[in-house]
């Protein structure tokens, strides 16, 4: 299998964590989101993903999967140990809710193409863009996620789940944009637990071969 991604893409970061947790090896193929006007916009990548986004997981038979949640759901179905989505339907719904709160409510509003549109077409100054990032990442996002977490060792229970795969990349973005979240005790507890695991350490953007 091949994973097309970018070291700093939080969506690709999620999939790297899931692959590591399951012990699945893939070939990592970098797609630089800034070089050549954004390699994700090149015709060769648009054939992989018409949305011009990463990650893309290419299976051994050439099948192409897009969207980090869909990819991780596929991995959970085909490599079920360890499970990232619990069997219990209520707990599974709660885990998915946190993942979706991050992946659908927080991340899209701070994605590269959104920030570029704010700075470019809408001519917003850096101060306004920074305020946008801070609001939607914290008071418009992580504050609510904190309230959804039960305060376990990880997001839910004694082992990482889909929720942790989404949370850690989002916290990486918070640090990158200097958005403080020290007051989120449950979030910090889950983060500290994840930081001790090789699966998360090896998936970190700084550890990727295309890191700059």
């Amino acid at each position: 299998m091949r994973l097309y991604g970018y070291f700093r893409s939080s969506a690709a970061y999620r999939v790297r964590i899931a692959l590591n947790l399951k012990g699945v090896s893939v070939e990592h193929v970098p797609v630089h989101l800034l070089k050549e006007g954004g390699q994700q916009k090149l015709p060769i990548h648009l054939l992989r993903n018409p949305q011009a986004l990463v990650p893309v997981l290419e299976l051994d038979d050439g099948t192409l999967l897009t969207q980090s949640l869909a990819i991780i759901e596929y991995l959970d179905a085909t490599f079920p140990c360890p499970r990232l989505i619990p069997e219990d339907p209520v707990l599974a719904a709660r885990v998915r809710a946190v993942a979706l709160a991050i992946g659908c409510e927080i991340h899209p509003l701070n994605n590269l193409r959104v920030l570029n549109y704010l700075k470019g077409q809408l001519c917003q100054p850096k101060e306004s863009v920074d305020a946008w990032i801070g609001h939607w990442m914290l008071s418009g996002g992580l504050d609510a996620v904190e309230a959804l977490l039960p305060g376990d060792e990880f997001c839910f229970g004694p082992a990482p789940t889909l929720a942790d795969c989404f949370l850690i990349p989002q916290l990486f973005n918070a640090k990158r944009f200097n958005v403080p979240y020290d007051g989120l005790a449950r979030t910090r507890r889950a983060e500290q637990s994840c930081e001790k695991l090789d699966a998360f350490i090896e998936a970190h953007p700084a550890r990727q071969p295309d890191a700059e």
Side-chain angles (χ1 to χ4, degrees):
M1 290 191 291
R2 293 188 183 94
L3 180 66
Y4 296 88
Y6 179 58
F7 76 103
R8 214 158 45 203
S9 160
S10 56
Y13 190 176
R14 298 166 192 159
V15 175
R16 292 197 303 266
I17 293 170
L19 287 166
N20 290 348
L21 286 169
K22 291 178 176 295
V24 178
S25 297
V26 299
E27 177 187 351
H28 291 272
V29 182
V31 178
H32 203 290
L33 302 188
L34 301 177
K35 292 179 180 177
E36 301 178 64
Q39 292 176 347
Q40 73 277 17
K41 300 174 188 175
L42 296 177
I44 190 171
H45 189 72
L46 291 176
L47 290 174
R48 302 181 196 117
N49 186 353
Q51 286 189 288
L53 296 172
V54 294
V56 175
L57 182 67
E58 182 179 356
L59 307 185
D60 292 337
D61 65 0
T63 299
L64 297 167
L65 302 179
T66 63
Q67 290 291 340
S68 60
L69 178 59
I71 292 171
I72 296 174
E73 293 250 17
Y74 165 82
L75 293 172
D76 221 35
T78 53
F79 303 94
C81 186
R83 290 191 65 90
L84 298 178
I85 301 170
E87 290 188 70
D88 176 79
V90 172
L91 184 55
R94 294 177 66 199
V95 166
R96 281 193 180 93
V98 167
L100 290 168
I102 294 168
C104 298
E105 308 294 343
I106 303 174
H107 174 246
L109 292 170
N110 291 282
N111 204 359
L112 177 64
R113 59 182 180 172
V114 171
L115 300 183
N116 284 344
Y117 190 81
L118 288 172
K119 292 182 281 189
Q121 286 87 335
L122 298 185
C123 302
Q124 292 300 304
K126 182 179 184 302
E127 295 77 12
S128 296
V129 174
D130 288 347
W132 170 282
I133 293 170
H135 172 75
W136 292 114
M137 199 175 292
L138 190 59
S139 59
L142 287 173
D143 282 351
V145 168
E146 170 78 2
L148 293 172
L149 300 179
D152 295 335
E153 182 180 358
F154 291 89
C155 283
F156 292 93
T161 63
L162 176 72
D164 300 274
C165 294
F166 274 67
L167 178 65
I168 296 306
Q170 189 57 55
L171 297 182
F172 169 79
N173 283 342
K175 293 171 186 172
R176 183 179 164 212
F177 291 111
N178 298 312
V179 177
Y181 59 90
D182 291 347
L184 305 181
R186 297 170 184 173
T187 298
R188 288 284 292 122
R189 179 177 172 85
E191 179 186 35
Q192 289 165 359
S193 297
C194 291
E195 288 176 339
K196 298 174 184 176
L197 300 183
D198 288 343
F200 289 85
I201 295 170
E202 294 302 321
H204 192 280
R207 303 292 290 268
Q208 304 316 301
D210 58 325
E212 298 174 345

